[in-house]
Amino acid sequence: MGGSKHRVPLTGALTMCTVCNNMAEAELQRSALAWGWKVPRWVKNAANVPVFYRWKRTWCLLDGLQAIEITAREAMALMRQLYGEQYEKWKEEE
């Protein structure tokens, strides 16, 4: 991956409260998948799924205890590679 990458601590990176988790399983499921906040069980390695941190406006890949920043272009390429046309549908439905 190109671009500048910064490693930041991953403590609590993907923790959701019960209410948010329930919404990610229901009415916000497409958004949660499109932004990397939810990963389907069939994905063999969740570390390959970029995660968007809205508060930082940054895409990251999770690597052990680190979040590695990647560019939006890299994140989109990874999402399209992983989810194919389904990813585009999720983005359109937001």
Side-chain angles (χ1 to χ4, degrees):
M1 299 267 150
S4 67
K5 296 175 180 68
H6 299 86
R7 292 183 180 261
V8 296
L10 191 59
T11 306
L14 295 178
T15 302
M16 283 191 198
C17 70
T18 302
V19 173
C20 292
N21 186 62
N22 289 340
M23 290 177 13
E25 294 293 332
E27 66 267 15
L28 294 180
Q29 185 171 30
R30 288 182 186 104
S31 290
L33 289 163
W35 294 103
W37 304 327
K38 175 183 168 120
V39 178
R41 290 179 192 235
W42 58 262
V43 172
K44 293 179 183 174
N45 186 356
N48 294 331
V49 180
V51 177
F52 185 73
Y53 291 88
R54 284 194 178 189
W55 59 275
K56 289 177 43 173
R57 297 180 186 222
T58 302
W59 284 95
C60 294
L61 286 174
L62 306 181
D63 179 21
L65 298 176
Q66 300 291 317
I68 303 167
E69 291 185 14
I70 61 174
T71 67
R73 183 177 298 211
E74 290 170 318
M76 295 306 99
L78 288 168
M79 290 297 231
R80 288 181 184 112
Q81 180 180 2
L82 185 61
Y83 297 122
E85 292 179 18
Q86 186 62 49
Y87 179 71
E88 298 301 330
K89 291 178 185 176
W90 294 334
K91 293 298 288 178
E92 289 172 10
E93 294 174 2
E94 280 194 67

